[in-house]
């Protein structure tokens, strides 16, 4: 496994090697098994898998959240090696993204769910993702479904900017407790982890009640349960899987996704399940 500290060194290497069968897994480090499933899947699909580790300041609206983002570089490299990753991009300095034209053609995606609480977040994600995709030119790029809205945004970015890459969505990996794996979980103590394990249970609860109660009443019940648990909730909503629009009474349950965001011990956590995923649990 080779490690590159600058994008120039990586792209020079790729050009010299004439390597084109590239799978790409962009990350912000503090890697866990969720990233592992993306990398391992890419390894089965491509001659060469590249992982980037870069905590992108442009996508943090909260400076404290940026500095508190966990960093475990040595451990990350050990993991990547064990997962069969071939090349790692690990920039040591802030990347200059000024050549990338800001993306602002989000349709509804930049005014719902995560967006109002995190102004500038998706613009920052689009900047770094477009920069990396244009530089590395992978055939496929792999993203985890825990960040469902991010996937929808990047899908749109790829379409509108006509980026020549296929986006591959991979299922959310969960701890034995059901908690969705996230680098941010490291910032929770034992009590926080127990509380956070309620999040997937709340989603399952929502799906178990929705047939009887309907969308609006189920959302209200889940909000009430969060209050009772002392979980500071940002949203808990049924949305359409295809476009993330609000559901209506005519939306079949099978076409919905339930998304939730909350803060526990100062850590913002998100999770989601589609109806099919919830039924499978
Ligand atoms: O999902 C993430 O870890 C980040 O948003 C990404 C896609 C690596 C861009 O910085």
């Amino acid at each position: 496994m080779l490690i590159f500290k600058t994008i120039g060194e990586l792209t020079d290497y790729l050009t010299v090697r004439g390597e084109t069968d590239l799978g790409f897994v962009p990350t912000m480090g503090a890697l866990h098994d969720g990233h592992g499933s993306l990398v391992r899947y890419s390894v089965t699909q491509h001659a060469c898998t590249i992982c980037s580790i870069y905590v992108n300041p442009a996508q943090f609206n909260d400076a404290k959240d940026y500095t508190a983002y966990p960093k475990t570089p040595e451990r990350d490299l050990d993991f990547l090696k064990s997962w069969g990753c071939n090349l790692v991009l690990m920039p040591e300095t802030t990347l200059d993204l000024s050549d990338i034209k800001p993306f602002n053609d989000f349709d509804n995606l930049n005014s719902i769910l995560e967006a109002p609480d995190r102004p500038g977040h998706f613009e920052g994600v689009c900047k770094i993702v477009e920069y990396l995709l244009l530089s590395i030119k992978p055939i496929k790029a792999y993203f985890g479904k825990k960040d469902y809205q991010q996937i929808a945004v990047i899908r749109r970015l790829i379409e509108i900017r006509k980026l020549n890459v296929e986006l591959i969505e991979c299922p959310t990996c969960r701890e034995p407790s059901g908690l969705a794996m996230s680098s941010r979980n490291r910032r929770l103590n034992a009590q926080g982890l127990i509380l956070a394990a309620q999040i997937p249970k709340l989603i399952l609860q929502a799906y178990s009640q929705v047939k009887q109660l309907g969308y609006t009443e189920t959302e209200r019940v889940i909000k009430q349960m969060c209050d009772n648990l002392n979980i500071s909730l940002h949203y808990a909503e049924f949305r359409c899987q295809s476009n993330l629009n609000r559901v209506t009474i005519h939306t079949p349950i099978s076409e919905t996704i339930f998304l939730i965001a909350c803060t526990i011990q100062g850590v913002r956590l998100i999770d989601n399940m589609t109806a099919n995923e919830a039924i499978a649990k």
Side-chain angles (χ1 to χ4, degrees):
M1 187 175 82
L2 296 177
I3 301 157
F4 298 87
K5 303 282 184 196
T6 68
I7 194 97
E9 286 168 65
L10 170 62
T11 51
D12 286 352
Y13 174 86
L14 293 173
T15 309
V16 170
R17 295 286 297 240
E19 198 69 85
T20 52
D21 182 9
L22 302 173
F24 177 46
V25 183
T27 81
M28 298 204 298
L31 302 181
H32 49 70
D33 248 0
H35 299 108
S37 73
L38 306 179
V39 172
R40 286 195 302 258
Y41 186 44
S42 171
V43 166
T44 66
Q45 303 294 306
H46 304 278
C48 179
T49 289
I50 305 178
C51 178
S52 63
I53 297 182
Y54 179 63
V55 186
N56 168 36
Q59 71 188 72
F60 286 83
N61 57 301
D62 176 353
K64 260 199 271 164
D65 194 25
Y66 172 62
T67 17
Y69 202 85
K71 290 170 195 72
T72 56
E74 277 97 38
R75 207 163 163 264
D76 290 350
L77 292 174
D78 287 347
F79 273 144
L80 286 172
K81 216 169 170 181
S82 72
W83 296 331
C85 182
N86 305 101
L87 309 177
V88 185
L89 172 67
M90 222 175 171
E92 279 176 332
T93 52
T94 307
L95 296 174
D96 177 9
L97 307 179
S98 58
D99 281 350
I100 303 293
K101 201 169 99 211
F103 183 74
N104 44 33
D105 191 350
F106 290 98
D107 196 7
N108 65 333
L109 293 172
N110 207 21
S111 53
I112 57 170
L113 301 169
E114 287 300 285
D117 289 347
R118 306 181 71 186
H121 170 67
F122 287 123
E123 287 89 340
V125 168
C126 285
K127 263 212 162 171
I128 186 68
V129 169
E130 186 171 355
Y131 174 87
L132 293 169
L133 291 177
L134 287 174
S135 310
I136 296 171
K137 301 186 180 64
I139 296 177
K140 296 182 187 175
Y142 296 77
F143 295 88
K145 267 190 175 167
K146 181 176 75 69
D147 297 295
Y148 195 90
Q149 189 177 2
Q150 170 171 280
I151 288 187
V153 164
I154 295 172
R155 203 175 273 297
R156 193 168 167 86
L157 171 79
I158 289 173
E159 185 194 322
I160 303 238
R161 291 275 159 102
K162 299 187 171 41
L163 304 175
N164 198 10
V165 63
E166 187 182 342
L167 186 158
I168 306 293
E169 322 184 349
C170 299
T172 301
C173 289
R174 297 182 179 278
E175 302 290 351
S177 69
L179 174 63
M181 288 187 185
S182 163
S183 307
R184 290 168 185 267
N185 294 350
R186 281 167 206 275
R187 290 169 55 199
L188 300 170
N189 67 18
Q191 223 182 338
L193 286 169
I194 290 172
L195 200 52
Q198 293 299 315
I199 301 170
K201 296 195 172 66
L202 289 164
I203 303 178
L204 295 175
Q205 180 82 22
Y207 274 110
S208 75
Q209 298 203 329
V210 66
K211 230 184 188 158
Q212 202 191 343
L213 299 183
Y215 294 126
T216 312
E217 181 57 13
T218 305
E219 288 174 359
R220 200 195 58 73
V221 168
I222 299 299
K223 280 182 191 119
Q224 185 59 56
M225 290 175 78
C226 287
D227 280 354
N228 297 347
L229 287 163
N230 259 328
I231 290 179
S232 156
L233 185 70
H234 304 298
Y235 56 80
E237 293 175 6
F238 287 98
R239 295 259 170 179
C240 301
Q241 283 169 32
S242 59
N243 53 16
L244 285 178
N245 283 343
R246 285 308 305 254
V247 291
T248 70
I249 46 165
H250 304 296
T251 312
I253 294 174
S254 60
E255 290 175 16
T256 65
I257 177 164
F258 191 83
L259 303 107
I260 190 163
C262 61
T263 294
I264 293 176
Q265 296 183 328
V267 183
R268 190 185 172 92
L269 300 169
I270 58 173
D271 197 357
N272 65 72
M273 282 181 217
T274 60
N276 275 348
E277 285 164 340
I279 288 164
K281 297 267 162 208

